[in-house]
Every structure is written in C-alpha cells, then in structure tokens.
Amino acid sequence: MINKKTLITLEYDKILLELAKMAQTAAGRQRCEDLLPVDNPDEIRQLQLETDHAVRVIFERGVLPLGGISDISASVRRAETGSILSAPELLRISAFLRAVAKVKAQIPQDNNVHTEDDYPWLVYDRVKQLVALRPLLMRLEECIAGEDEIHDRATNELYNIRRRIKETQQDVKDHLARIIRSHAHSLQDQLVTLRSDRYVVPVKADHRGDIQGIVHDTSSSGATLFIEPIAVVELNNKIRELISQERDEIERILQELSALTAADADTLLSDFRVLTELDFMMAKARLALKMKAMPPVINTENRVRLKAARHPLIPADRVVPIDVELGIDFHTLVITGPNTGGKTVTLKTVGLFTLMAMSGLQIPARERSELAVFSQVLADIGDEQSIEQDLSTFSSHLKQLIQITEQARPGTLVLVDELGSGTDPSEGAALAIAILDHLHMRGCVTVATTHYKELKGYAIHTPDVENACCEFDTETLRPTYRLLIGVPGVSNAFAISSRLGLMPEIIEQARSLISEEGMRFEDLVQSMEQSRSEADRLKMESEKLHREVEALRDQLEQEKKNLRDKKKEIIQKAREEARSLYQEAEDDIQNQIQDLKQKMKKQDARKQHHLSTQTRQQLRSGRGRIEQEIGAATLSAVRGKPLPAELIREGETYFAPSLGINGKLVEGPDNKGQCVLQQGSLRVRVDAASLRLPDGDADMNMTSFDGQTSSPAAKIANRAARRRERSSGGDSVSMSTKLNQTTEIKLLGQTSLDAVSNLDQFMDQAVLSGLHQIRVVHGKGTGALRTAVHQMLKRDSRVAGFRLAAFGEGDSGVTIVDLK
C-alpha cells in the first residue's frame, strides 16, 4: 500500500482531480477521487486493458451518454424499507432508466464479427449487464410529469377527480361572474381571487351589506373585504373535498410506484453500480486522450523504460519530453546538475508515472514505454522544515530518510531529492553515499539528485550505479531539461557567473581555490557532457534524415504503383475501345450479309451459305489480329519483368531465369505460389513470381485446333498465310483451306467456353473446305464438355445433324457432326 504522504509528494492527488473532471456523474467523480494504486500485476493489466478498451469505444462511438444521471441508491434503499418515494425521487429514477436504455443502445449489433483483439469487450460486456426495466420506466413516465406534478391519466380515478374539480371550479366562477355583474358598484375590482384555497370577490368595506357571505381576509388598508358569497360556499366546500381526494389518490399512486421500485431494487442498484463503473472507465479514457497518453507495458522485474515522457501537470507548450531507463543495466541513478535544470521534475515523473500505471491510468509517453509494479514507492522531495517542530532543512530531510531506510526492501522504488544537503558538504556526501549503499543492498530501485561531486565519483566506480545529468546550455544560460544518462552533471557556476558579468579576476581567484584534480574532473565531466550532447544532436539529425528517406521511399513506391495502375488502365481502355470499334464494324458487315442474303434468295442455297461462312471467317480472322495487337501491347509492358497473376496460365510457355530454360506450365500456381514447368521430359518446380515471358515471343502462345500449342515459327507462318489469303481473294482462301483442313478437332482439357469457340472456328473452315462430316473429340469425363458441344450444335445453322460415335469410333467420347 502506497502511503498518503508519497501520493501528495508526487502530486498524485492533482491527477485524481483532473480525472474527476472527466467524469459525468457524481458517483463517477467520487470513484475517480477514491482511486488508489494496486500492487497486483494481473489486476493492473486488467485495469489498463479497461482504459484501453474505453479509449477504443470513444474513437468508434464517442463518449457513452452518462450525463445527468443522479445517485438513486438512497431512494431505492428507502423504497425497499416500505417508504413512499416523492415525485422528484421517482422522476430521477425515471431519468436514470432512460439513461440505461441510451447506454444499452451503444452496443454494436454486429459485435459477432469482431475478434477479441480489436473488440472493446470489457466495456461492452459491462453495458450488456445493464437491465433497462422497460415496464417500470413506462409506468413512471405514465405517472410522473414533473418535480411536483402527476399526469392526469396516471389512473382513471385521478382523471375523474381532476375533471370534477375543474367542473366545480367553473361553476364557482360562473356564480361569481353573475355576482360581479349584478354588484359591480359594490366591488373594489371586478375580478375573482383566492383566499385560503376558496374563491372570493373583493368588496368595498362600506358596501359590506350588499353581498352576503363569509369574510376570509381584508386588505392592509381595511378598505377591501374578501368575501366568499353564500351562493358559492357549498361549491367551494365540494372543491376542498375533491382536492383532498386528489391528494389521497396521488399518495396511492406514489405508493404503487414505490412498491414497483422496491420490487426491482436489486436490478436498479446493480445498474447504478455498472453505470458508475462505466463512467469511471470513460473518465480514464478521456483523461488519456486529453494527455495524449499511451498504455504502458507492465513488468514485474523492477524495469523502468520511459520514452519521451511528459509530466502531465506541466503545460503542453512548456513540457520537455525525457527518456529514462532504470532497473535494466543499473538499479541506482544519481542525477547531478545545476538548480532549475529539471532534476526534481525527472524524479516526480518517474514516481508519478509509476503510481498512474499501477492505478490503471495511461501515461503521456511514447508507445511501448515500460513501468514496473513496485510494492512500495517512497519519496523525499521538497523542503519540509518546520518552525513549530524546531526542525531544520537537514533534520526534516533526515527524518524522512530514516523512515525510508527502515521501510526499504526488494521491490521498493525510492526517490530522494538533494540527498545529503543541508549540512557540511563532506559529511553530507559521505552520508549520502552510505544511504545509497544501504538502499542498493536492500534491493531497492533508487533515483537520487545531488550537487556533490563525491557522488559523481561514487556512481562512476560502483557497479549497478549510473550517473545522469540534466543538460544546461551555457550559451543561453538556460536548462534544456533533457536528461542525459551516463554523463555526470556540472554546476557551470563559473560559466554562468562570467556570462552574467561577474569580474574576471574574481572568477579566476575562485578557480585557483579549487584543487587541480577537482578542476580536471570538472573539465572532464563538462567535456563528456558536450560530447554526449553533440552525439545526441547527430543522432537526432540522423533519425530525421532516416525518416525523410523512408517518407521519400514510400512516396516513390506509391508513385510507381500509381503509374503501373495508370498504364494498366490506359491499356485496358485502349483494348475496350478497339473491341468496341471492331464490334461496330462487325455488326455493320453482318447487316450487309443479311442484305446480301436477301438479294441472293434466287441463287443456289449452298453457294449462299458458303459465301456467308467465308465472310464470317474473314471477320473472325480480323478480330484475331486486333486481339493479338492488343495482347502484344499489354505483354510488352511486362517483358523481362515479374508477371501479373492474370498472365500466368497452365499450358503457356514461360522462361525461368534461375534455371535458364523455357518450359510449358503444367501445374499451378498453387496456394504457396509454386508451379511446375516442363521442357521435354524434364519437370521442375519454380516460384511463380520468378517467371518471365520467353525472349523473342511477345505474344502469349496460341492454341491450334487440335489443342496443341503452336510454336513461334508456326505463328509467323500462319500470319503470313493469312496475309496471302487476304491479298489473293476468296478462291485462294478456299483452296488453301481445302488443302490443309482436317476432319477432326480435339477439345480435350479445354474449358467449355474455349471448346465452343474453337469448334465454331473449325466448323467455318470445314464448310469452306467443302467437308460434309467432322469428328469432335471431347472425351467422356463428367460430360460437361459433351453437353456444351451438343447445345452449340443444336443451335448452329451449319449443322444438318449429329450423333455420338458408335462402338469402335470413339464411343461417347466423340460426336459425329453432319454439315449442310
């Protein structure tokens, strides 16, 4: 348990005040003010996780709507004892239940898609614990209209009573109105007013006998009498009776509502506790966001590693981030340097961050900062001299140090400011060294500040003890507040005195009074500090350059990606435009073919069909040339480079640079990106990312009608043949086709789409060649390819009929097609 004095010394109470400001409810504020550090590592990690989850909820959905919630616990407990709650109390319970419903609405409906790592379940699980008590809320809203008002429709009886009151009041007013009209000269004012809840009229005192009735009041001057006329006495009595009945009915309604509240008391109190805890969690998260804090890494090895730590009570525009390491290479840190340099701030930062972390609060430092779970935190910071107790500065410090040395044990964090000060320097230094030795032997983690040079030497020569200093700029005579670990500090008294204008001869005399060894030591320390400062400056510049290089590299990578995407987009757009243009041309030619058919109706039907087939073949050949040119433009962009996944297909030929071979892709790529290339009888497994297009072949391999891949030479020959066919007219095309046409096409291993396309081209050539029958080898397999072929043949106008091959001709793996 951390003692109260340490909490105040390290200004933990001020952090709690800031935390309480973040709470939205009175109970939540009290929960914040009562927060204390704990020393159970698992509990601390749970508290930190709660804060982290609350921060995530704020980022995702904003702060939970907890404002305006009152503490209903006292009222609910009174209802449990049978007491009747007042309308204001019931109104607060009604507002509380509305808040419960609002908070429950914050739970995302798609929470089943979240994983435990990114889903703030510690917050939402608490929200799920809330019970809205909808029936109770509806009844309260039906009855309670305001602080002292009950709805007319709360019960039928109350509605009827109030209706009768209004009717009777109206009767009274009507009677009095007639009296006012008939006795206007006797009245001080022509109006109806109330005295003692009874309707009266103001009568002039000298006309008292004009109106018979009961005098209820007189004016201060005695000139006016407030008389209840005899005619309305009975009606006023009736109103009073009805009002009494109304009070009784309201009492009964409040009693009913109080009983309903008592019946749900356990749920209401549970909801109140949950909402208080949620408010507390939201307050921790809001404070973390205000301080730009991060969750620390909690350890049990007495290890402290703070990165860019900012004391939360120093204004953001003035605080200087510091880096502190402790309990890793050393367990005792001696900080030296001039006053106002930041030594005490460093002490308080280490101590306060430790208390905050052990309380489940995030710390204003960089991510992955570490803090240890200490069983005790003991601090002696500041001057506590007391005139009443006759204690000097030294005595007050020593009194605190005695308590610290007595309580010190392993797992204790000790923070001591100006150790050994307030007495003779030599004795103070010796005492300080002895105390540090004692704390070190007890297994404490200690941070101490001092001005004594003896302690600098002690830190240099003692294992597990390290020097540190707060940097001071002798040019500007201002501290930089940066902590330099591993470097002892110097007082800079002579430099400061010289800069401020102290006479040089005085400074020189002062220097002569210091031993030569002491001067060398101070000069050495100052040189070390300057070297360390320069090294840190260079490191910061190097890190800045590294960040700039990283940013430039990311920018270049993004620009390269944008260029690749733009190039792909341009190629795709050009491809689509070319196809669109060709489609328009093809549609136009098809229309011309239809016109030609109309003109040739009287000609031989076979000659007509032959001519249309030949024309269609030429159109398809033109489309193929355009597709090849588009493909060449696409593939030229990837020659010699890694291929996109969409350009790697089975059956195509690729070059493997690592093996120096071209091969046909026969397997893959699999889910690991591996594929198999085959060259002759040689089969090798290679990474798909290493494949390139083969040299000298800018186009992807084309597939011939027998399903085999054409060689580059064959492709060139085919292109040349097509050019000759185009230049020599229809007879040349027909003759060349007849000489080279085969009667069988093999579609084995092809997709249904590719097989139908290849069969269509094959049938065009067969018709041009004058064939009357062809064989289509599609294999047996699952029958999907055979079905696709048969469906295509049923629709084709060139087909006279088709059948499956007989036994010995290929059986069901072959279809025989008769052409017209």
Side-chain angles (χ1 to χ4, degrees):
M1 178 66 69
I2 311 299
N3 65 63
K4 185 176 180 180
K5 180 185 177 304
T6 297
L7 299 178
I8 295 173
T9 299
L10 296 175
E11 299 177 295
Y12 178 78
D13 55 323
K14 295 181 181 178
I15 296 296
L16 294 189
L17 289 177
E18 293 297 317
L19 178 63
K21 292 177 184 178
M22 300 294 111
Q24 302 174 68
T25 68
R29 284 189 287 276
Q30 188 61 50
R31 176 74 174 83
C32 293
E33 292 171 2
D34 294 340
L35 179 63
L36 290 173
V38 296
D39 57 5
N40 184 301
D42 292 335
E43 186 178 353
I44 291 171
R45 293 187 182 98
Q46 184 75 0
L47 291 172
Q48 288 290 344
L49 192 60
E50 285 179 358
T51 307
D52 188 49
H53 283 196
V55 170
R56 294 188 201 179
V57 169
I58 292 177
F59 278 130
E60 291 176 6
R61 298 179 176 270
V63 179
L64 294 179
L66 300 168
I69 296 176
S70 303
D71 186 349
I72 63 167
S73 56
S75 298
V76 173
R77 291 192 179 96
R78 281 206 321 111
E80 280 189 295
T81 64
S83 299
I84 298 177
L85 302 183
S86 65
E89 288 179 299
L90 292 168
L91 188 65
R92 285 194 291 273
I93 293 174
S94 176
F96 174 82
L97 289 175
R98 281 194 295 273
V100 169
K102 267 201 229 175
V103 173
K104 282 189 72 68
Q106 297 296 308
I107 300 179
Q109 299 302 313
D110 58 343
N111 55 13
N112 58 325
V113 304
H114 294 280
T115 64
E116 189 171 297
D117 289 336
D118 65 0
Y119 181 65
W121 52 272
L122 282 175
V123 175
Y124 289 141
D125 280 359
R126 278 183 171 79
V127 175
K128 290 176 185 177
Q129 294 172 13
L130 295 171
V131 180
L133 294 176
R134 187 66 185 165
L136 176 59
L137 174 60
M138 291 176 63
R139 185 60 183 144
L140 289 171
E141 289 180 336
E142 287 173 359
C143 297
I144 308 300
E147 286 282 338
D148 291 301
E149 184 180 358
I150 305 297
H151 280 300
D152 291 350
R153 295 286 185 178
T155 63
N156 290 334
E157 181 65 21
L158 182 63
Y159 175 76
N160 291 330
I161 292 171
R162 286 181 172 175
R163 179 177 55 78
R164 286 155 57 195
I165 290 174
K166 289 177 183 176
E167 290 173 352
T168 307
Q169 287 173 339
Q170 188 60 46
D171 289 344
V172 171
K173 290 176 182 176
D174 291 342
H175 276 79
L176 293 178
R178 289 194 292 270
I179 292 172
I180 289 173
R181 286 195 298 271
S182 61
H183 298 80
H185 64 284
S186 303
L187 301 178
Q188 198 71 259
D189 292 299
Q190 296 187 19
L191 56 82
V192 176
T193 185
L194 282 170
R195 286 295 184 275
S196 303
D197 293 329
R198 301 181 76 87
Y199 288 97
V200 297
V201 291
V203 180
K204 296 176 181 176
D206 54 353
H207 287 271
R208 166 72 182 81
D210 294 349
I211 299 175
Q212 298 299 314
I214 301 170
V215 177
H216 285 280
D217 197 7
T218 60
S219 65
S220 58
S221 64
T224 304
L225 303 176
F226 295 96
I227 297 176
E228 177 187 7
I230 294 295
V232 298
V233 168
E234 191 61 34
L235 290 175
N236 274 331
N237 289 338
K238 184 178 179 181
I239 290 173
R240 289 178 71 90
E241 290 175 5
L242 290 172
I243 290 175
S244 177
Q245 293 176 23
E246 180 190 29
R247 278 198 299 268
D248 292 342
E249 181 61 17
I250 288 174
E251 186 80 1
R252 194 196 65 77
I253 292 170
L254 295 178
Q255 187 173 17
E256 174 204 341
L257 296 178
S258 300
L260 291 175
T261 300
D264 289 323
D266 290 342
T267 302
L268 287 167
L269 293 174
S270 173
D271 282 353
F272 178 71
R273 287 190 294 270
V274 171
L275 286 182
T276 300
E277 196 64 24
L278 285 171
D279 189 23
F280 171 61
M281 292 167 68
M282 286 293 109
K284 291 195 295 178
R286 293 176 69 190
L287 181 64
L289 293 174
K290 178 185 176 183
M291 296 190 306
K292 299 180 180 178
M294 298 297 293
V297 177
I298 302 299
N299 68 77
T300 56
E301 291 80 33
N302 296 337
R303 188 169 61 247
V304 175
R305 182 186 283 117
L306 298 178
K307 305 174 183 178
R310 309 177 308 278
H311 196 288
L313 299 178
I314 299 177
D317 58 342
R318 288 171 43 204
V319 67
V320 178
I322 60 172
D323 295 340
V324 181
E325 285 190 2
L326 191 61
I328 303 171
D329 297 324
F330 51 88
H331 288 80
T332 300
L333 185 65
V334 178
I335 305 176
T336 52
N339 288 330
T340 70
K343 301 190 303 297
T344 304
V345 171
T346 300
L347 276 184
K348 288 190 173 183
T349 300
V350 173
L352 181 58
F353 276 30
T354 298
L355 298 178
M356 289 174 66
M358 292 170 64
S359 302
L361 301 176
Q362 295 186 357
I363 59 172
R366 278 216 307 263
E367 195 174 8
R368 304 300 299 172
S369 290
E370 284 189 75
L371 285 165
V373 179
F374 292 103
S375 58
Q376 288 190 103
V377 178
L378 305 174
D380 174 31
I381 300 173
D383 187 0
E384 295 188 7
Q385 63 177 326
S386 171
I387 297 176
E388 292 180 359
Q389 299 180 19
D390 194 24
L391 292 175
S392 65
T393 299
F394 176 73
S395 297
S396 65
H397 277 297
L398 189 59
K399 183 180 178 182
Q400 296 299 321
L401 288 172
I402 290 171
Q403 294 180 3
I404 289 173
T405 54
E406 289 175 348
Q407 298 177 35
R409 61 177 183 270
T412 301
L413 175 64
V414 178
L415 307 169
V416 184
D417 193 23
E418 301 294 349
L419 181 59
S421 63
T423 187
D424 177 76
S426 59
E427 292 182 358
L431 190 58
I433 291 173
I435 290 172
L436 289 179
D437 270 337
H438 173 80
L439 296 174
H440 184 265
M441 291 175 62
R442 286 290 187 96
C444 299
V445 175
T446 305
V447 183
T449 68
T450 184
H451 286 287
Y452 296 143
K453 64 181 180 181
E454 289 86 351
L455 267 69
K456 303 174 190 177
Y458 165 77
I460 291 174
H461 296 103
T462 306
D464 206 28
V465 181
E466 185 59 88
N467 269 306
C469 70
C470 290
E471 189 179 42
F472 189 87
D473 190 338
T474 55
E475 295 296 322
T476 62
L477 298 183
R478 291 181 178 274
T480 65
Y481 302 106
R482 292 178 60 241
L483 184 69
L484 304 178
I485 294 179
V487 179
V490 294
S491 66
N492 294 298
F494 295 152
I496 294 173
S497 300
S498 177
R499 295 281 294 182
L500 291 177
L502 186 64
M503 289 185 289
E505 54 269 26
I506 296 177
I507 296 173
E508 286 303 318
Q509 183 180 358
R511 285 182 183 276
S512 66
L513 296 176
I514 298 178
S515 66
E516 185 177 348
E517 181 181 353
M519 285 296 299
R520 284 201 303 270
F521 179 77
E522 290 294 320
D523 290 342
L524 175 62
V525 168
Q526 188 170 8
S527 175
M528 289 172 59
E529 184 176 341
Q530 290 173 351
S531 299
R532 174 64 179 269
S533 299
E534 180 65 17
D536 286 347
R537 185 185 65 79
L538 293 174
K539 180 183 177 182
M540 291 173 63
E541 290 181 0
S542 175
E543 289 176 349
K544 181 181 178 182
L545 288 173
H546 179 72
R547 288 193 297 271
E548 291 175 354
V549 169
E550 288 292 325
L552 286 174
R553 186 178 69 178
D554 293 342
Q555 182 181 348
L556 287 173
E557 286 294 329
Q558 185 62 40
E559 289 178 356
K560 284 171 64 179
K561 181 179 181 300
N562 292 341
L563 286 173
R564 286 196 301 269
D565 293 343
K566 189 68 175 176
K567 185 176 183 180
K568 186 184 294 185
E569 181 183 345
I570 291 172
I571 292 173
Q572 183 65 24
K573 185 177 179 181
R575 179 182 297 174
E576 291 173 356
E577 289 178 353
R579 285 175 178 162
S580 176
L581 289 172
Y582 192 82
Q583 186 63 47
E584 292 176 5
E586 185 174 5
D587 292 343
D588 186 45
I589 293 173
Q590 289 289 355
N591 292 334
Q592 293 181 25
I593 289 175
Q594 294 300 324
D595 293 341
L596 183 60
K597 283 183 178 180
Q598 294 295 327
K599 294 176 183 178
M600 295 177 63
K601 280 183 179 179
K602 296 181 181 180
Q603 296 189 22
D604 179 69
R606 183 177 180 81
K607 184 175 180 181
Q608 175 185 346
H609 183 71
H610 180 83
L611 180 60
S612 64
T613 301
Q614 180 177 340
T615 304
R616 190 161 50 249
Q617 176 70 10
Q618 290 175 345
L619 286 171
R620 190 176 285 111
S621 177
R623 178 187 286 277
R625 289 197 305 278
I626 288 179
E627 294 288 351
Q628 288 178 6
E629 290 169 2
I630 293 172
T634 303
L635 295 175
S636 64
V638 298
R639 176 176 296 285
K641 299 177 182 177
L643 298 176
E646 62 268 17
L647 292 182
I648 301 177
R649 300 188 293 268
E650 287 189 19
E652 306 294 353
T653 301
Y654 300 96
F655 175 63
S658 59
L659 301 174
I661 64 169
N662 288 335
K664 181 179 178 181
L665 183 66
V666 293
E667 290 182 19
D670 57 20
N671 56 5
K672 295 182 179 179
Q674 297 294 306
C675 53
V676 177
L677 288 185
Q678 180 170 352
Q679 184 185 59
S681 60
L682 175 66
R683 291 166 67 96
V684 293
R685 183 173 294 276
V686 296
D687 189 351
S690 68
L691 295 180
R692 305 290 187 272
L693 288 179
D695 293 336
D697 186 10
D699 298 318
M700 294 298 286
N701 298 335
M702 298 185 300
T703 303
S704 66
F705 292 129
D706 61 358
Q708 302 299 315
T709 303
S710 304
S711 66
K715 294 177 187 174
I716 295 172
N718 289 339
R719 295 191 190 111
R722 286 197 295 272
R723 285 195 294 271
R724 288 194 299 273
E725 288 168 2
R726 289 196 297 274
S727 63
S728 61
D731 293 340
S732 297
V733 171
S734 181
M735 180 60 69
S736 172
T737 303
K738 288 179 180 179
L739 290 174
N740 296 296
Q741 182 62 31
T742 178
T743 61
E744 181 178 276
I745 178 171
K746 295 180 180 178
L747 305 177
L748 298 172
Q750 300 183 24
T751 65
S752 297
L753 189 62
D754 291 341
V756 169
S757 176
N758 290 334
L759 178 57
D760 182 52
Q761 296 180 47
F762 179 79
M763 288 172 63
D764 275 345
Q765 290 194 2
V767 170
L768 291 174
S769 301
L771 297 180
H772 297 289
Q773 190 179 79
I774 60 174
R775 282 168 51 87
V776 181
V777 182
H778 44 64
K780 298 178 181 179
T782 62
L785 189 56
R786 178 177 66 244
T787 301
V789 168
H790 286 185
Q791 288 176 349
M792 178 259 191
L793 294 175
K794 287 177 184 178
R795 297 191 300 268
D796 201 299
S797 61
R798 296 165 293 184
V799 177
F802 63 91
R803 61 180 174 81
L804 289 174
F807 182 76
E809 291 181 318
D811 204 4
S812 61
V814 176
T815 295
I816 307 299
V817 183
D818 294 322
L819 301 176
K820 293 179 180 178

